[in-house]
Amino acid sequence: MNIPDSLKYTKDHEWVKIEGNTATVGITDFAQGELGDIVYVDITSVGQEIAAHEIFGTVEAVKTVSDLYMPVGGKVLELNPILDGSPEKVNEDPYGDGWMIKIQISGSTNDLLSAAQYKELIGK
């Protein structure tokens, strides 16, 4: 299982790559493995200001649909255009081509977990 030390994580299994006041967000390797084959990513929140822990979209796997939660408060700047035609990228490369949104951070990042804390959360 891949859990890069350079990223931050949430209890809802999102990862966050912070660069200044912007962040790239996706779901973790653990989450995509639990969901199984992802067939659709539905994110319609571009341009919206969303609070931490609020839903910014959904991800649909063969047998389930799961909500996606904002790791920190912010404005959704961009969604990954690759996912529209290739949602399987979330399974294949969750920390690379499978990223989901880019946001402008407006809230605190203090609640995010380190890689070690996330590993403890998932029992790895």
Side-chain angles (χ1 to χ4, degrees):
M1 173 152 334
N2 186 13
I3 303 171
D5 288 336
S6 60
L7 303 175
K8 296 292 187 180
Y9 300 88
T10 71
K11 293 176 182 175
D12 296 314
H13 309 290
E14 280 85 25
W15 60 264
V16 185
K17 180 180 181 183
I18 299 172
E19 298 171 293
N21 69 339
T22 62
T24 304
V25 178
I27 64 169
T28 64
D29 192 23
F30 175 81
Q32 70 79 23
E34 292 291 303
L35 287 168
D37 292 339
I38 293 172
V39 296
Y40 187 65
V41 178
D42 184 20
I43 300 170
T44 58
S45 53
V46 173
Q48 295 178 23
E49 185 82 26
I50 302 176
H53 312 296
E54 294 295 315
I55 295 170
F56 72 83
T58 58
V59 62
E60 184 176 337
V62 174
K63 295 182 179 180
T64 189
V65 176
S66 184
D67 290 329
L68 299 166
Y69 296 94
M70 283 290 275
V72 296
K75 182 177 182 179
V76 180
L77 301 174
E78 179 184 352
L79 75 101
N80 185 347
I82 294 171
L83 300 183
D84 194 35
S86 301
E88 69 277 2
K89 291 292 184 191
V90 175
N91 294 112
E92 296 168 1
D93 190 12
Y95 303 113
D97 286 343
W99 65 272
M100 296 188 169
I101 60 172
K102 293 191 178 186
I103 63 173
Q104 182 175 4
I105 300 169
S106 62
S108 171
T109 60
N110 293 339
D111 289 343
L112 298 175
L113 305 174
S114 68
Q117 290 169 316
Y118 183 69
K119 287 176 188 175
E120 187 175 317
L121 175 76
I122 62 173
K124 299 294 175 192

